[in-house]
Amino acid sequence: MSYETIREQLRALTQGIPHKTANLANASALLSMTLPDLNWVGFYLLEGETLVLGPFQGKPACIEIPMGRGVCGTAAAQDGILLVPDVHQFPGHIACDGVSRSELVMPLHKNGQVAAVLDLDSPTPGRFTEADRAGMALLQPILEALL
Ligand code: SME
């Protein structure tokens, strides 16, 4: 399914729903259904200097990630989409699900500041491409409106 179609589905699923947890939960379910070859997808929400586990699909995961730590904390600190083709080569990677081999993490903003990250994990090394980076950037404003 194209990212344009996913964007329309995400819009339809969340439009007019004023419940943040419900919307993020449905967003993670939609991404898990529509993006192939993922073993974990979900949100970490920034509380002070700590990313705290939010709605997700996948195995139970670590609850707190300090800003600047792991792939999620690095993407949040750098404020940019981070593609990690091989998590074993990423210093400080936090292994929640041992099956994860590659990751894409996208920061999400509220009032111009990083307020959350979306973390996608795949069991396949090099799963995420520049096309995924562009596709996720397409979804970014819709996801940010949910925060
Ligand atoms: N691997 C991530 C931690 C989150 S889990 O993969 C769900 C990281 O290094 O930030």
Side-chain angles (χ1 to χ4, degrees):
M1 187 181 289
S2 74
Y3 277 101
E4 283 79 6
T5 306
I6 295 172
R7 179 178 57 178
E8 293 324 305
Q9 293 198 348
L10 188 57
R11 227 181 231 143
L13 198 58
T14 57
Q15 206 157 37
I17 312 291
H19 304 296
K20 174 173 160 176
T21 306
N23 282 333
L24 294 179
N26 270 340
S28 69
L30 178 70
L31 294 172
S32 169
M33 274 174 59
T34 53
L35 295 173
D37 201 19
L38 302 182
N39 59 295
W40 201 93
V41 50
F43 298 91
Y44 279 88
L45 307 175
L46 191 61
E47 290 185 23
E49 288 295 300
T50 306
L51 291 163
V52 179
L53 183 64
F56 69 94
Q57 298 277 304
K59 289 188 181 167
C62 52
I63 292 164
E64 294 186 340
I65 301 177
M67 197 69 164
R69 291 277 310 280
V71 183
C72 290
T74 302
Q78 292 178 352
D79 194 2
I81 296 177
L82 195 56
L83 267 65
V84 177
D86 182 355
V87 297
H88 294 167
Q89 306 300 321
F90 188 90
H93 169 250
I94 301 163
C96 290
D97 182 348
V99 165
S100 298
R101 289 300 310 279
S102 58
E103 291 195 27
L104 183 156
V105 178
M106 175 168 71
L108 298 171
H109 306 85
K110 192 175 178 177
N111 302 324
Q113 298 206 313
V114 175
V117 300
L118 171 63
D119 180 17
L120 308 177
D121 289 19
S122 170
T124 305
R127 153 72 180 80
F128 302 104
T129 64
E130 288 304 318
D132 291 301
R133 186 200 296 272
M136 292 314 298
L138 211 55
L139 306 184
Q140 195 172 28
I142 318 237
L143 293 170
E144 287 177 334
L146 306 180
L147 298 176

Coordinates of all heavy atoms in Angstrom, one line a residue, residues 3 6-7 10 24 27 31 35 40-46 51 71-84 103-110 113-121 128 130-147:
Y3 N 2.2 5.1 0.6 CA 2.2 6.0 1.8 C 1.0 7.0 1.6 O 0.5 7.5 2.6 CB 3.5 6.7 2.0 CG 4.5 5.8 2.8 CD1 5.5 5.2 2.1 CD2 4.4 5.7 4.1 CE1 6.4 4.4 2.8 CE2 5.3 5.0 4.9 CZ 6.3 4.3 4.2 OH 7.2 3.5 4.9
I6 N -2.0 5.2 2.8 CA -1.9 5.1 4.3 C -2.3 6.5 4.9 O -3.0 6.5 5.9 CB -0.5 4.7 4.8 CG1 -0.2 3.2 4.2 CG2 -0.4 4.7 6.3 CD1 1.2 2.7 4.5
R7 N -1.8 7.6 4.3 CA -2.1 8.9 4.9 C -3.6 9.1 4.9 O -4.2 9.6 5.8 CB -1.4 10.0 4.0 CG -1.7 11.4 4.5 CD -0.9 12.4 3.7 NE -1.3 12.3 2.3 CZ -0.8 13.2 1.4 NH1 0.1 14.1 1.7 NH2 -1.1 13.0 0.1
L10 N -5.2 7.0 7.6 CA -4.9 7.6 8.9 C -5.8 8.8 9.2 O -6.3 8.9 10.3 CB -3.4 8.0 8.9 CG -2.8 8.4 10.2 CD1 -2.9 7.4 11.3 CD2 -1.3 8.8 10.0
L24 N -3.5 7.4 18.8 CA -2.2 6.9 18.7 C -2.2 5.3 18.6 O -1.5 4.7 17.9 CB -1.3 7.3 19.8 CG -1.0 8.9 19.8 CD1 -0.1 9.2 21.0 CD2 -0.4 9.3 18.5
A27 N -3.4 4.5 15.2 CA -2.4 4.8 14.2 C -1.3 3.7 14.2 O -0.9 3.2 13.2 CB -1.7 6.2 14.6
L31 N -0.5 1.3 11.0 CA 0.9 1.2 10.4 C 1.3 -0.3 10.5 O 2.0 -0.8 9.5 CB 1.9 2.1 11.2 CG 1.6 3.6 11.0 CD1 2.5 4.4 11.9 CD2 1.8 4.0 9.5
L35 N 2.2 -1.6 6.7 CA 3.7 -1.6 6.4 C 4.2 -3.0 6.5 O 4.1 -3.6 7.6 CB 4.4 -0.6 7.2 CG 4.1 0.9 7.1 CD1 4.8 1.7 8.1 CD2 4.4 1.3 5.6
W40 N 7.7 -4.4 15.3 CA 7.3 -3.5 16.3 C 7.0 -2.1 15.7 O 7.8 -1.7 14.9 CB 8.4 -3.4 17.4 CG 7.9 -2.9 18.8 CD1 7.5 -3.7 19.8 CD2 7.8 -1.6 19.2 NE1 7.1 -2.9 20.9 CE2 7.3 -1.6 20.5 CE3 8.0 -0.3 18.6 CZ2 7.1 -0.4 21.3 CZ3 7.8 0.8 19.4 CH2 7.3 0.8 20.7
V41 N 6.0 -1.5 16.1 CA 5.7 -0.1 15.7 C 5.0 0.6 16.8 O 4.0 0.1 17.4 CB 5.0 0.0 14.4 CG1 3.7 -0.9 14.4 CG2 4.6 1.4 14.0
G42 N 5.5 1.8 17.2 CA 4.8 2.5 18.3 C 5.4 3.8 18.6 O 6.4 4.3 18.0
F43 N 4.8 4.4 19.6 CA 5.1 5.8 20.0 C 5.8 5.8 21.3 O 5.5 5.0 22.2 CB 3.9 6.7 20.1 CG 3.1 6.8 18.8 CD1 2.2 5.9 18.4 CD2 3.5 7.8 17.9 CE1 1.5 6.0 17.2 CE2 2.8 7.9 16.6 CZ 1.8 7.0 16.3
Y44 N 6.8 6.7 21.5 CA 7.3 7.1 22.8 C 7.0 8.6 22.9 O 7.3 9.4 22.0 CB 8.8 6.9 22.9 CG 9.2 5.4 23.1 CD1 9.4 4.5 22.1 CD2 9.4 5.0 24.5 CE1 9.7 3.2 22.4 CE2 9.7 3.7 24.7 CZ 9.9 2.8 23.7 OH 10.2 1.5 24.0
L45 N 6.5 8.9 24.1 CA 6.0 10.3 24.3 C 7.0 11.0 25.3 O 7.3 10.4 26.4 CB 4.6 10.3 24.9 CG 3.6 9.5 24.1 CD1 2.2 9.4 24.8 CD2 3.4 10.1 22.7
L46 N 7.4 12.2 24.9 CA 8.4 12.9 25.7 C 7.8 13.5 27.0 O 6.8 14.2 26.9 CB 9.1 14.0 24.9 CG 10.3 14.6 25.5 CD1 11.4 13.6 25.7 CD2 10.8 15.8 24.6
L51 N 11.8 9.7 27.2 CA 10.7 9.2 26.3 C 10.1 8.0 27.0 O 10.7 7.1 27.5 CB 11.4 8.7 25.0 CG 12.0 9.8 24.1 CD1 12.9 9.2 23.1 CD2 10.9 10.6 23.4
V71 N 18.3 4.4 19.7 CA 17.9 5.0 18.4 C 16.9 6.1 18.6 O 16.9 7.2 18.0 CB 17.4 3.9 17.4 CG1 17.1 4.5 16.1 CG2 18.5 2.8 17.3
C72 N 15.9 5.8 19.5 CA 14.8 6.7 19.7 C 15.3 8.0 20.3 O 14.9 9.1 19.9 CB 13.8 6.0 20.6 SG 12.8 4.7 19.9
G73 N 16.1 7.9 21.4 CA 16.6 9.1 22.1 C 17.5 9.9 21.2 O 17.6 11.1 21.3
T74 N 18.3 9.2 20.3 CA 19.2 9.9 19.4 C 18.4 10.7 18.3 O 18.6 11.9 18.1 CB 20.1 8.9 18.7 OG1 20.9 8.3 19.7 CG2 21.1 9.7 17.8
A75 N 17.3 10.1 17.8 CA 16.5 10.7 16.8 C 15.8 12.0 17.4 O 15.7 13.0 16.8 CB 15.4 9.8 16.2
A76 N 15.4 11.8 18.7 CA 14.7 12.9 19.3 C 15.7 14.1 19.6 O 15.4 15.2 19.3 CB 14.1 12.4 20.7
A77 N 16.9 13.7 20.0 CA 17.9 14.7 20.4 C 18.4 15.4 19.1 O 18.6 16.7 19.1 CB 19.1 14.1 21.1
Q78 N 18.5 14.7 18.0 CA 19.0 15.3 16.7 C 17.8 16.0 16.0 O 18.1 16.7 15.0 CB 19.6 14.2 15.8 CG 20.9 13.6 16.4 CD 21.5 12.5 15.5 OE1 20.8 12.1 14.5 NE2 22.7 12.1 15.8
D79 N 16.6 15.6 16.4 CA 15.4 16.2 15.7 C 15.4 15.9 14.2 O 15.2 16.8 13.4 CB 15.2 17.7 16.0 CG 13.8 18.1 15.7 OD1 13.0 17.3 15.2 OD2 13.6 19.3 15.8
G80 N 15.6 14.6 13.9 CA 15.5 14.3 12.5 C 15.2 12.8 12.4 O 15.4 12.0 13.3
I81 N 14.6 12.4 11.2 CA 14.3 11.0 11.0 C 15.6 10.2 10.9 O 16.5 10.6 10.2 CB 13.5 10.8 9.7 CG1 12.1 11.5 9.8 CG2 13.3 9.3 9.3 CD1 11.3 11.5 8.5
L82 N 15.7 9.1 11.7 CA 16.9 8.3 11.7 C 16.6 6.9 11.2 O 15.7 6.2 11.6 CB 17.4 8.2 13.2 CG 18.8 7.8 13.5 CD1 19.8 8.6 12.8 CD2 19.0 7.8 15.0
L83 N 17.4 6.5 10.2 CA 17.4 5.2 9.6 C 18.6 4.4 10.1 O 19.7 4.9 9.9 CB 17.4 5.3 8.1 CG 16.2 5.3 7.3 CD1 15.4 6.6 7.5 CD2 16.4 5.2 5.8
V84 N 18.4 3.3 10.7 CA 19.5 2.5 11.2 C 19.4 1.1 10.5 O 18.5 0.3 10.8 CB 19.5 2.3 12.7 CG1 20.6 1.4 13.2 CG2 19.6 3.6 13.4
E103 N 15.9 -0.2 12.1 CA 14.9 0.7 12.6 C 14.8 2.0 11.8 O 15.7 2.4 11.2 CB 15.3 1.1 14.1 CG 15.2 0.0 15.1 CD 15.2 0.5 16.5 OE1 14.8 1.6 16.8 OE2 15.6 -0.4 17.3
L104 N 13.6 2.6 11.9 CA 13.4 4.0 11.5 C 12.7 4.7 12.6 O 11.6 4.2 13.1 CB 12.5 4.0 10.2 CG 12.2 5.4 9.6 CD1 11.9 5.2 8.1 CD2 11.1 6.2 10.2
V105 N 13.2 5.8 13.0 CA 12.6 6.6 14.1 C 12.4 8.0 13.6 O 13.3 8.7 13.0 CB 13.5 6.6 15.4 CG1 12.8 7.5 16.4 CG2 13.7 5.2 15.9
M106 N 11.1 8.5 13.8 CA 10.8 9.8 13.3 C 10.3 10.7 14.5 O 9.3 10.3 15.2 CB 9.6 9.7 12.3 CG 9.1 11.1 11.9 SD 8.0 11.0 10.4 CE 6.6 10.3 11.1
P107 N 10.9 11.8 14.8 CA 10.4 12.7 15.8 C 9.1 13.4 15.4 O 8.9 13.6 14.2 CB 11.5 13.8 15.9 CG 12.7 13.3 15.2 CD 12.2 12.3 14.2
L108 N 8.3 13.6 16.4 CA 7.0 14.3 16.2 C 6.9 15.5 17.0 O 7.4 15.5 18.2 CB 5.8 13.3 16.5 CG 5.7 12.1 15.7 CD1 4.7 11.1 16.2 CD2 5.4 12.4 14.2
H109 N 6.4 16.6 16.5 CA 6.5 17.9 17.2 C 5.1 18.4 17.6 O 4.1 18.1 17.0 CB 7.1 18.9 16.2 CG 8.4 18.5 15.7 ND1 8.5 17.8 14.5 CD2 9.7 18.8 16.1 CE1 9.8 17.5 14.3 NE2 10.5 18.2 15.2
K110 N 5.2 19.2 18.7 CA 4.0 19.9 19.1 C 4.4 21.3 19.5 O 5.5 21.4 20.2 CB 3.4 19.2 20.4 CG 2.0 19.6 20.8 CD 1.5 18.8 21.9 CE 0.2 19.3 22.4 NZ -0.4 18.4 23.4
Q113 N 8.2 21.9 19.0 CA 9.2 21.2 19.8 C 8.9 19.7 19.7 O 7.8 19.3 19.6 CB 9.2 21.6 21.2 CG 9.5 23.1 21.4 CD 10.1 23.4 22.7 OE1 9.6 23.0 23.7 NE2 11.2 24.1 22.7
V114 N 10.0 18.9 19.8 CA 9.8 17.4 19.8 C 9.0 17.0 21.0 O 9.3 17.4 22.1 CB 11.2 16.7 19.8 CG1 11.0 15.2 20.0 CG2 12.0 17.0 18.6
A115 N 7.9 16.3 20.7 CA 7.0 15.9 21.8 C 6.9 14.3 21.9 O 6.3 13.8 22.8 CB 5.7 16.5 21.6
A116 N 7.4 13.7 20.8 CA 7.2 12.2 20.8 C 8.1 11.7 19.6 O 8.7 12.5 18.9 CB 5.8 11.8 20.5
V117 N 8.3 10.4 19.6 CA 8.9 9.7 18.4 C 8.0 8.6 18.0 O 7.3 8.0 18.8 CB 10.3 9.2 18.6 CG1 11.3 10.4 19.0 CG2 10.4 8.1 19.6
L118 N 8.0 8.3 16.7 CA 7.4 7.1 16.2 C 8.6 6.1 15.9 O 9.5 6.5 15.1 CB 6.6 7.4 14.9 CG 6.1 6.2 14.2 CD1 5.1 5.3 15.0 CD2 5.4 6.6 12.9
D119 N 8.5 4.9 16.4 CA 9.6 3.9 16.2 C 9.1 2.8 15.4 O 8.1 2.1 15.7 CB 10.1 3.4 17.6 CG 11.2 2.4 17.5 OD1 11.8 2.3 16.4 OD2 11.4 1.7 18.5
L120 N 9.7 2.5 14.2 CA 9.4 1.3 13.4 C 10.6 0.3 13.5 O 11.7 0.8 13.2 CB 9.2 1.7 12.0 CG 8.2 2.8 11.6 CD1 8.2 3.0 10.1 CD2 6.8 2.5 12.1
D121 N 10.3 -0.9 13.8 CA 11.4 -1.9 13.9 C 11.1 -3.1 12.9 O 9.9 -3.5 12.8 CB 11.4 -2.6 15.3 CG 12.0 -1.6 16.3 OD1 11.9 -0.4 16.1 OD2 12.3 -2.1 17.4
F128 N 14.6 -0.3 5.9 CA 14.1 1.0 5.6 C 14.9 1.8 4.6 O 16.1 1.8 4.7 CB 13.9 1.8 6.9 CG 13.0 1.1 7.9 CD1 13.6 0.4 9.0 CD2 11.7 1.1 7.7 CE1 12.8 -0.3 9.9 CE2 10.8 0.4 8.6 CZ 11.4 -0.3 9.7
E130 N 15.2 5.3 1.6 CA 14.9 6.7 1.5 C 13.4 6.9 1.1 O 12.8 7.9 1.5 CB 15.8 7.4 0.5 CG 17.3 7.5 1.0 CD 17.4 8.3 2.3 OE1 16.7 9.3 2.5 OE2 18.1 7.9 3.2
A131 N 12.8 5.9 0.4 CA 11.4 6.0 0.1 C 10.6 6.0 1.4 O 9.5 6.6 1.5 CB 11.0 4.9 -0.9
D132 N 11.0 5.1 2.3 CA 10.3 5.1 3.6 C 10.5 6.4 4.4 O 9.5 6.9 5.0 CB 10.8 3.9 4.5 CG 10.4 2.6 3.8 OD1 9.2 2.3 3.7 OD2 11.3 1.8 3.5
R133 N 11.7 7.0 4.3 CA 11.9 8.2 5.0 C 10.9 9.3 4.4 O 10.2 10.0 5.2 CB 13.3 8.7 4.8 CG 13.6 10.0 5.6 CD 14.9 10.7 5.0 NE 16.1 9.9 5.1 CZ 16.9 9.9 6.2 NH1 16.6 10.7 7.2 NH2 18.0 9.2 6.2
A134 N 10.8 9.4 3.1 CA 9.9 10.3 2.4 C 8.5 10.0 2.8 O 7.7 10.9 3.0 CB 10.1 10.3 0.9
G135 N 8.1 8.7 2.8 CA 6.8 8.3 3.1 C 6.4 8.6 4.5 O 5.3 9.2 4.8
M136 N 7.3 8.4 5.4 CA 7.0 8.7 6.8 C 6.8 10.2 7.0 O 6.0 10.7 7.8 CB 8.0 8.2 7.8 CG 8.1 6.7 7.9 SD 6.5 5.8 8.1 CE 6.0 6.5 9.6
A137 N 7.6 11.0 6.3 CA 7.6 12.5 6.3 C 6.2 13.0 5.9 O 5.7 14.0 6.3 CB 8.7 13.1 5.5
L138 N 5.6 12.2 5.0 CA 4.3 12.5 4.5 C 3.2 12.3 5.6 O 2.2 13.0 5.6 CB 4.0 11.5 3.3 CG 3.1 11.9 2.2 CD1 3.6 13.1 1.5 CD2 3.1 10.7 1.2
L139 N 3.4 11.3 6.4 CA 2.5 11.0 7.5 C 2.7 12.0 8.7 O 1.8 12.1 9.6 CB 2.6 9.6 8.0 CG 2.5 8.5 6.9 CD1 2.6 7.1 7.6 CD2 1.2 8.6 6.2
Q140 N 3.9 12.6 8.8 CA 4.3 13.3 10.0 C 3.3 14.4 10.4 O 2.9 14.4 11.6 CB 5.7 14.0 9.7 CG 6.4 14.5 10.9 CD 7.8 14.9 10.6 OE1 8.1 15.3 9.5 NE2 8.7 14.8 11.6
P141 N 2.8 15.2 9.5 CA 1.9 16.3 10.0 C 0.6 15.7 10.6 O 0.0 16.2 11.5 CB 1.6 17.1 8.8 CG 2.4 16.6 7.7 CD 3.2 15.4 8.1
I142 N 0.1 14.6 10.0 CA -1.1 14.0 10.5 C -0.9 13.4 11.9 O -1.7 13.5 12.8 CB -1.6 12.9 9.5 CG1 -1.4 13.3 8.1 CG2 -3.0 12.4 9.9 CD1 -2.6 13.3 7.3
L143 N 0.2 12.7 12.0 CA 0.6 12.2 13.4 C 0.8 13.3 14.4 O 0.3 13.1 15.5 CB 1.8 11.3 13.2 CG 1.6 10.0 12.4 CD1 3.0 9.3 12.1 CD2 0.7 9.0 13.0
E144 N 1.4 14.3 14.0 CA 1.6 15.4 14.9 C 0.3 16.1 15.4 O 0.2 16.5 16.6 CB 2.5 16.5 14.3 CG 4.0 16.0 14.2 CD 4.9 16.9 13.5 OE1 4.5 17.7 12.6 OE2 6.2 16.8 13.7
A145 N -0.7 16.1 14.5 CA -2.0 16.6 14.9 C -2.7 15.8 16.0 O -3.6 16.3 16.6 CB -2.8 16.8 13.7
L146 N -2.2 14.6 16.2 CA -2.8 13.7 17.2 C -2.3 13.9 18.6 O -2.8 13.4 19.6 CB -2.6 12.2 16.8 CG -3.0 11.8 15.4 CD1 -2.7 10.3 15.2 CD2 -4.5 12.1 15.2
L147 N -1.1 14.6 18.7 CA -0.4 14.8 20.0 C -1.1 15.8 20.9 O -1.7 16.7 20.4 CB 1.0 15.1 19.8 CG 1.9 14.1 19.0 CD1 3.3 14.6 18.8 CD2 1.9 12.8 19.8

